[in-house]
Amino acid sequence: MTAIGKLLALLNLVVGIGVLSWSVNLYVHRPGWFDEPSESVDKGNKPVGFKQFKVEADNLYKVAAISSEAWGTSLKALEEREKYRADREAGYAKRIQWARKGNGTDLTDPLNPKSGKGFYEPVIDKTNNLHDLSVVAGLPKGKAVVGTDGLPLTGLDGLLDSIAGNTAASLEIQKEILKQEAEFDRLDKLVIETQIKAIKMGVIRDSVQAEWLFLTAFEVNASETRDTVFRRERQLRARLKILGISDP
């Protein structure tokens, strides 16, 4: 037991001397974390101290504060721009709806709900040089766009209905035109046939009148010949009455 105790005492002494040497060495060669930063630094060295860390931390704090302020300002500006974009998107959506369905609060014909004006002239806002989409009581600032007839253009659906109606009416008119052309051709043929008949009847009338004039001045002494002539005269007069001569 005495040998072991001596050994432990010796080890304790050796360890104590080692700790003492390390402590003296650490005190003598302590790091310069609390020293003032040197004005010049040798090449390859990079001294670091608490004051440098504090200065760098203060700078980073200032940068963070400036960045935070800039971020807040930018966020506010972004939110305002996003709201402005959403408002303009809603304004354009309303214009697109008018272009398709017509403006229900601005009717061309109060009795026709489909006669809403669909297109308006653009008005430029001088503050931002953009299209002014503001609406007051359902009416924009621009004037309604008119068509070739001088009336405001309605929405696309109304225009399509009008075009479909006009197309149907045009087809009906075209059918009526074809029908009237066929009737005209029929009447033209009938007129030509009537003219040919009239010419033939004129020739017959002229020949009958010539014969009637000849027989009117014809005189014979024989009684039988006279009766024959009078009978032919009555026949000719009857034919002339058929042709339209009331008093031949």
Side-chain angles (χ1 to χ4, degrees):
M1 295 295 295
T2 305
I4 296 173
K6 291 180 179 180
L7 180 60
L8 291 175
L10 179 62
L11 289 176
N12 188 21
L13 178 61
V14 173
V15 171
I17 294 172
V19 172
L20 178 62
S21 300
W22 176 78
S23 300
V24 172
N25 184 52
L26 180 63
Y27 178 78
V28 174
H29 300 284
R30 64 183 183 276
W33 291 343
F34 295 95
D35 299 338
E36 295 290 335
S38 59
E39 296 181 356
S40 62
V41 179
D42 294 336
K43 185 177 181 180
N45 295 327
K46 197 174 183 181
V48 178
F50 287 117
K51 291 186 178 181
Q52 290 176 319
F53 288 152
K54 186 176 183 304
V55 172
E56 185 175 356
D58 292 340
N59 292 334
L60 292 176
Y61 176 77
K62 292 179 181 179
V63 171
I66 294 172
S67 300
S68 178
E69 183 181 359
W71 180 84
T73 304
S74 300
L75 177 62
K76 184 178 180 181
L78 177 62
E79 290 175 349
E80 292 177 355
R81 289 180 178 272
E82 183 64 21
K83 181 178 181 302
Y84 184 71
R85 183 200 64 79
D87 293 341
R88 291 192 64 82
E89 184 179 10
Y92 279 115
K94 186 177 291 296
R95 296 299 178 105
I96 294 174
Q97 182 182 5
W98 290 348
R100 293 177 177 173
K101 303 293 184 180
N103 188 357
T105 59
D106 191 9
L107 301 177
T108 303
D109 183 5
L111 300 178
N112 184 8
K114 291 186 177 181
S115 64
K117 299 175 184 178
F119 305 92
Y120 296 89
E121 296 179 358
V123 176
I124 303 301
D125 188 353
K126 295 182 180 179
T127 58
N128 52 22
N129 293 326
L130 296 176
H131 188 187
D132 191 349
L133 300 176
S134 59
V135 177
V136 179
L139 300 177
K141 291 184 178 180
K143 297 180 180 179
V145 178
V146 299
T148 55
D149 55 357
L151 298 176
L153 294 175
T154 59
L156 181 61
D157 293 348
L159 290 176
L160 291 177
D161 293 341
S162 177
I163 292 173
N166 293 336
T167 302
S170 177
L171 293 176
E172 291 297 328
I173 293 174
Q174 187 176 5
K175 291 180 181 179
E176 186 65 23
I177 290 174
L178 294 175
K179 182 179 178 181
Q180 294 297 331
E181 287 179 350
E183 182 67 15
F184 176 80
D185 293 338
R186 188 185 69 81
L187 293 176
D188 185 56
K189 292 179 181 179
L190 182 60
V191 168
I192 293 174
E193 293 176 356
T194 304
Q195 288 177 347
I196 294 173
K197 291 180 180 180
I199 293 173
K200 292 181 179 179
M201 292 177 65
V203 172
I204 296 172
R205 183 192 61 186
D206 294 339
S207 63
V208 171
Q209 285 181 344
E211 187 175 358
W212 174 71
L213 293 174
F214 173 76
L215 293 175
T216 302
F218 183 77
E219 293 183 0
V220 292
N221 294 328
S223 176
E224 185 178 355
T225 303
R226 186 180 181 86
D227 294 337
T228 302
V229 171
F230 285 159
R231 186 173 61 256
R232 291 291 305 277
E233 182 181 2
R234 287 193 298 272
Q235 293 175 352
L236 290 174
R237 288 180 183 274
R239 290 188 63 185
L240 289 174
K241 288 182 178 181
I242 295 174
L243 293 174
I245 300 176
S246 60
D247 188 15

